[in-house]
Structures are given as C-alpha cells and as structure tokens.
Amino acid sequence: KAGVTQTPRYLIKTRGQQVTLSCSPISGHRSVSWYQQTPGQGLQFLFEYFSETQRNKGNFPGRFSGRQFSNSRSEMNVSTLELGDSALYLCASSLDGNQAQHFGDGTRLSIL
Amino acid sequence: AQSVTQLGSHVSVSEGALVLLRCNYSSSVPPYLFWYVQYPNQGLQLLLKYTSAATLVKGINGFEAEFKKSETSFHLTKPSAHMSDAAEYFCAVSEGTSYGKLTFGQGTILTVHP
C-alpha cells in the first residue's frame, strides 16, 4: 500500500511569491492534515480537510490556504511569501481525522 | 486546550541501555496519545498509539508506552537501545472533537553511543 506522497520535496522561492504544495493521501483515507515544522516553533497544525471541506484550522494567517479534491488529494497554497515561511511542510492522512495520522516526507520550502 | 510537554530536549544512552523518553499531556477530554519518530530529512513515522484501550501499548521496533491518567503521562521506553534508534521523537495528543489536529511536544533527540 503506497504511503502519503508529497510533491515537490524541495522548493526555493523569493519573498512575495506564492507557492502550491501537493499531497496524495493513503488510498481510502479521507482526512488530510497539514503541519508546519520549524526549529523555533516545532510542529504546528495548519488545517485539516475531510470530504473536500475544511473542518479544522490552526492559528495561521489567511495567506495560508488549502483545498481538497474529490479523490482526497490536497493542496496547500501560501501567498505573498515571507522569510519566516521557510519550513518543512508535512502532510498527514488518516481514515477520518480521529485515527492515527500517517505522514509524508514533507516539502522543504526555502524563501530567499 | 490540549498541550504536550516532553522533558529533556536531548537524551543520550549507550547501546544496549534502557531508553526512557518522558511525555506529559494536558487535555480537557480523554485523549488519544501518540509517539512518532523522525529521521533526518524524513517525515514522521508512527511508533505507537493509545486510544483508551489497554494502558500499556506496544509499538514497532521494540518500543512501548504506558498511559497513566493519574500522572497525565505517556512515557516511551525501550529495554535495549540500538544504534538505529538515534532520531528525534515526538509525543502528540489528539482530542476527539478536534478533527485532524495533533498537538506535538517540542521533541526529544535521542543519541545512542556505541
């Protein structure tokens, strides 16, 4: 069974640009969550999608958004990039959002 | 609100010694608790989970954890450390009403000396 797949693995952007990250969950998983990991703040929850609806949201500015498609694949978008957005972005999937989450290897975003 | 505290940002053990990584949680409802491991340049791998069944939970790679409600703790142990256990370990809590949200501790880096 294939795991959670995140693309791309690495991204380099400049301030002010926008970026879209992609996540394909484990087959049959309908819940997709996104996290930001930085050395200073650790792992922080961004948002969760289930059946194409955002059910939960963390404390991030509106520049961070996401969506989920009918096949449960999810994308995360960050607009007007700032230096502080440099981080490892992790996607996780689970059956329904309350079971154990399985993580992808992440997308490392660097802002110059 | 839920929170997790991992005592000790760095733990160092000798190969073959006991591994003990500490985790205390705060939750307003009966929690689900998890331990994850992260190797360099990789995502998080689930070691084990507690979801209100047996209080002693066995996971992969010889790890286990015990849920102690009175102490609000969920410490991770392994009887004998192996060099391949060197990694960063995260304790996480989930409340059933907070869909898809895990709250993580700050992590503990485990070093294993030969």
Side-chain angles (χ1 to χ4, degrees), chain B residues 46-76:
Chain B
L46 179 67
L47 281 176
L48 48 80
K49 61 182 179 182
Y50 167 77
T51 55
S52 75
T55 57
L56 183 61
V57 181
K58 294 188 184 298
I60 63 172
N61 301 338
F63 285 95
E64 63 181 36
E66 186 173 9
F67 172 69
K68 292 187 176 180
K69 184 178 179 180
S70 60
E71 299 177 9
T72 60
S73 69
F74 190 57
H75 302 330
L76 181 71

Side-chain angles (χ1 to χ4, degrees), chain A residues 18-111:
Chain A
Q18 75 165 17
V19 66
T20 299
L21 313 182
S22 180
C23 173
S24 294
I26 291 171
S27 178
H29 285 191
R30 297 171 64 191
S31 169
V32 174
S33 297
W34 288 89
Y35 296 86
Q36 181 194 66
Q37 185 177 25
T38 60
Q41 299 299 316
L43 282 151
Q44 294 185 286
F45 172 75
L46 282 155
F47 31 65
E48 186 254 9
Y49 286 86
F50 181 85
S51 292
E52 302 178 64
T53 300
Q54 186 183 89
R55 288 195 303 186
N56 205 351
K57 188 176 186 303
N59 296 324
F60 279 82
R63 300 186 297 107
F64 291 82
S65 63
R67 58 177 176 169
Q68 187 180 35
F69 302 95
S70 58
N71 62 358
S72 293
R73 190 177 70 86
S74 177
E75 288 181 347
M76 188 189 96
N77 185 275
V78 188
S79 63
T80 318
L81 287 165
E82 301 176 358
L83 292 177
D85 297 333
S86 293
L88 179 66
Y89 290 89
L90 293 165
C91 163
S93 74
S94 68
L95 286 170
D96 61 5
N98 285 330
Q99 303 302 316
Q101 295 182 18
H102 300 270
F103 285 78
D105 283 337
T107 294
R108 185 164 296 280
L109 176 62
S110 299
I111 310 301

